[in-house]
Amino acid sequence: MSADGKTLIGYDVDLLNDLQELLGFEIDGGLQAMDYSALTTSLAENKLDIGAAALCATDERKEVMDFSDIYCDSGQVVMVNKNDDKGIKNVDDLKDKKIAVEKGTASHTYASKNLTSATLEVHDTITTAYESLEQGKVDAVIQDGPGAYFYIKTTPDSNLEVVGDEFNQGQAPYCVAISKECKYYDEINAAVKVLIDNGTTDELYAKWCE
C-alpha cells in the first residue's frame, strides 16, 4: 500500500499494469488485495483469472493452477531488528532462536527442514511476521529477498534490516499464476516473456527491491 493506505503499489502491481497495456485488457473491478490463502484458493477454484503477488510456482500449486515463465528467481534472507541486537549475522546464527515466517512459503519450508532447533512463529501473512520482529517478539524473520527489500524500502520508519547473504537460492521462483479455466494462458505467458526479454522485469526489480 502507498503511504496513504489507499493505493496498491509494488513490483507485481506494476507488472500487472504492464501486462494490461501490452495485451490491451482491463481488470474487471480493479486489482484486489488478498492474503496468500485467499488468493491461492480463489485461483484454484477459478474465481480469479490471474494473480501476481510474489507467488512461487510450487509443485503443490501447479496441481490447481497454471504459471507463467519465471520473472524473478530468488532465495531467502534473514531480517533482524537493528535496535534489538541478538548477535545474528547470517542464517547460521539462527539455531535456537525464535523465527517468524509466513505460512506455506519457501521460507517456512526451509526453516522447518533446516532449523529444527529454532522456535518457529508461523504467520498467516508476512505483514504480521514483520510486526512481530518490529516489536521484538521474535529474533528474526526469514523472507524471500525481494519481499524483504521491498518492505524495508517502502517502510521508512522500519527498524528492520537484512543481514548476511541470500541463501536457499532458486527456491522462490516468482511467476504469474493463471486459473486453469482461463482461456488466455498462451497470451499472458507470451506477454510475460516479452517483459522479461525487454528488461522490464529487471527495471521493476531495481525500482522496488534494491
Side-chain angles (χ1 to χ4, degrees), residues 54-65:
L55 275 171
C56 296
T58 63
D59 289 340
E60 182 181 11
R61 288 174 181 163
K62 287 177 181 177
E63 293 179 2
V64 292
M65 65 189 76

Side-chain angles (χ1 to χ4, degrees), residues 83-159:
N83 293 335
D84 185 23
D85 187 1
K86 298 292 179 64
I88 298 170
K89 302 300 181 186
N90 55 54
V91 66
D92 295 329
D93 296 327
L94 294 181
K95 296 175 183 177
D96 303 318
K97 300 295 187 181
K98 190 172 184 180
I99 306 163
V101 294
E102 183 178 13
K103 183 179 181 180
T105 60
S107 300
H108 185 192
T109 300
Y110 178 89
S112 298
K113 291 181 178 179
N114 298 282
L115 299 171
T116 54
S117 66
T119 301
L120 293 189
E121 186 177 274
V122 181
H123 292 255
D124 288 332
T125 69
I126 192 61
T127 303
T128 57
Y130 290 145
E131 289 173 355
S132 190
L133 184 57
E134 294 275 17
Q135 296 166 8
K137 295 178 180 178
V138 295
D139 302 317
V141 164
I142 298 179
Q143 165 67 331
D144 298 347
Y149 291 116
F150 172 77
Y151 173 79
I152 291 170
K153 189 167 186 173
T154 57
T155 313
D157 58 347
S158 173
N159 294 315

Side-chain angles (χ1 to χ4, degrees), residues 147-204:
Y149 291 116
F150 172 77
Y151 173 79
I152 291 170
K153 189 167 186 173
T154 57
T155 313
D157 58 347
S158 173
N159 294 315
L160 306 192
E161 63 180 355
V162 171
V163 294
D165 297 325
E166 192 173 279
F167 60 95
N168 202 33
Q169 284 92 345
Q171 299 305 306
Y174 293 177
C175 304
V176 175
I178 304 158
S179 161
K180 285 188 176 293
E181 290 191 0
C182 180
K183 300 177 182 178
Y184 304 106
Y185 173 86
D186 290 340
E187 291 84 354
I188 294 168
N189 193 44
V192 171
K193 289 180 179 179
V194 168
L195 297 178
I196 294 170
D197 292 342
N198 69 14
T200 296
T201 54
D202 288 336
E203 292 174 4
L204 292 180

Side-chain angles (χ1 to χ4, degrees), residues 13-47:
V13 173
D14 285 356
L15 180 68
L16 286 172
N17 287 334
D18 288 335
L19 287 174
Q20 288 183 83
E21 183 174 346
L22 191 59
L23 292 172
F25 70 88
E26 293 184 6
I27 296 175
D28 186 17
L31 290 175
Q32 300 180 50
M34 294 183 173
D35 64 34
Y36 273 102
S37 178
L39 176 60
T40 54
T41 298
S42 294
L43 284 163
E45 295 178 352
N46 303 301
K47 294 177 180 177

